């Protein structure tokens, strides 16, 4: 039996993993699952023997879609330096589409920022791109991801509405502490894999 083509359903999530970004990250993750796509990010496998850049390149190669949040462009309070990881990985994704062969040419990206047109000053080379804004609001982030994926899937059918998915996400968040305690897991110390399993289980039970 042939293996399913995971490339066409895989979404590379390129965003910060810091604690203050977690509400947006989890909302994006939930939206991708709720739209029946497959999220991919560097947190999915922890392997100290693997080069981090190699891992990023592999995930980009295996993903048709990419969500890139460049909102964390401010100066880090501790290091007094900006963080370039997200813009660097966005560049890798765009380069894969530009210079890759075959299905790599069909890559599709969603670029997110927090608000306004800050990126025109911090990352002016992408001024010609369509940028969406989440305003640091998980519900807005969910709507942006849903609407983008709905456009990408070709109009054969409509995905669940953004407001509906946002309401689902709110219920999931309310349910998560109790579900974690039942395993038992500390809801404040969940890994990426824990969150993914919890989202998949909740969506299955609340389809």
């Amino acid at each position: 039996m042939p293996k399913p083509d995971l490339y066409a359903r895989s979404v590379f999530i390129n965003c910060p993993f810091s604690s203050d970004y977690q509400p947006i990250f989890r909302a994006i993750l939930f939206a991708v699952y709720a739209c029946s796509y497959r999220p991919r990010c560097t947190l999915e496998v922890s392997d100290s023997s693997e080069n981090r850049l190699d891992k990023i390149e592999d995930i980009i190669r295996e993903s048709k879609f990419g969500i890139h949040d460049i909102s964390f462009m401010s100066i880090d309070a501790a290091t007094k330096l900006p963080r370039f990881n997200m813009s660097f990985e966005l560049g890798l994704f765009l380069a894969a589409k530009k210079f890759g062969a075959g299905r790599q040419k069909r890559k599709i990206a969603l670029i997110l920022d927090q608000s306004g047109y800050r990126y025109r000053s911090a990352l002016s080379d992408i001024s010609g791109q369509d940028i969406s804004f989440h305003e640091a609001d998980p519900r807005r982030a969910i709507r942006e991801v849903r609407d983008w994926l709905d456009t990408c899937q070709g109009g054969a059918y409509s995905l669940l509405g953004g407001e509906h998915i946002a309401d689902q996400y709110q219920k999931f968040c309310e349910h998560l502490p109790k579900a974690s305690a039942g395993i038992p897991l500390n809801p404040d110390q969940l890994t990426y894999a824990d969150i993914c399993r919890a989202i998949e289980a909740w969506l299955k039970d609340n389809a």
Side-chain angles (χ1 to χ4, degrees), residues 73-190:
M73 294 186 292
S74 57
I75 301 296
D76 185 275
T79 66
K80 308 301 182 185
L81 295 170
R83 296 175 62 184
F84 294 124
N85 287 15
M86 277 62 69
S87 54
F88 174 72
E89 291 171 31
L90 168 60
L92 289 177
F93 190 90
L94 296 179
K97 177 174 182 174
K98 180 73 173 180
F99 303 110
R103 65 185 186 178
Q104 299 300 324
K105 295 286 188 185
R106 300 192 293 273
K107 287 186 179 297
I108 306 174
L110 171 66
I111 304 175
L112 293 170
D113 199 355
Q114 183 169 319
S115 60
Y117 293 91
R118 310 179 310 147
Y119 67 91
R120 289 182 176 175
S121 298
L123 199 59
S124 60
D125 283 351
I126 64 168
S127 293
Q129 312 291 117
D130 290 328
I131 310 295
S132 298
F133 309 106
H134 55 61
E135 300 177 339
D137 177 8
R139 294 185 70 91
R140 174 72 182 268
I142 286 171
R143 292 198 303 269
E144 294 294 342
V145 170
R146 179 269 170 196
D147 290 350
W148 170 68
L149 287 174
D150 187 63
T151 300
C152 293
Q153 54 92 23
Y157 57 92
S158 292
L159 298 176
L160 295 172
E163 284 299 317
H164 174 75
I165 296 174
D167 288 342
Q168 283 188 312
Y169 177 64
Q170 184 175 343
K171 292 175 183 177
F172 165 76
C173 291
E174 294 168 354
H175 165 81
L176 187 58
K178 181 178 179 181
S180 300
I183 295 177
L185 289 171
N186 184 334
D188 296 323
Q189 298 177 351
L190 298 178

Side-chain angles (χ1 to χ4, degrees), residues 22-86:
Q22 283 301 300
I24 300 294
F25 176 50
R26 291 187 179 185
I28 291 173
L29 195 61
F30 187 92
V32 171
Y33 270 118
C35 292
S36 300
Y37 284 80
R38 177 177 178 248
R40 303 290 310 275
C41 87
T42 56
L43 296 178
E44 62 191 38
V45 176
S46 179
D47 183 357
S48 298
S49 71
E50 185 178 13
N51 179 276
R52 179 177 173 82
L53 182 56
D54 288 343
K55 182 193 300 185
I56 293 168
E57 290 171 347
D58 286 344
I59 294 173
I60 289 175
R61 185 182 301 110
E62 295 165 2
S63 302
K64 178 178 180 179
F65 303 98
I67 298 172
H68 307 268
D69 190 335
I70 59 173
S71 60
F72 270 45
M73 294 186 292
S74 57
I75 301 296
D76 185 275
T79 66
K80 308 301 182 185
L81 295 170
R83 296 175 62 184
F84 294 124
N85 287 15
M86 277 62 69

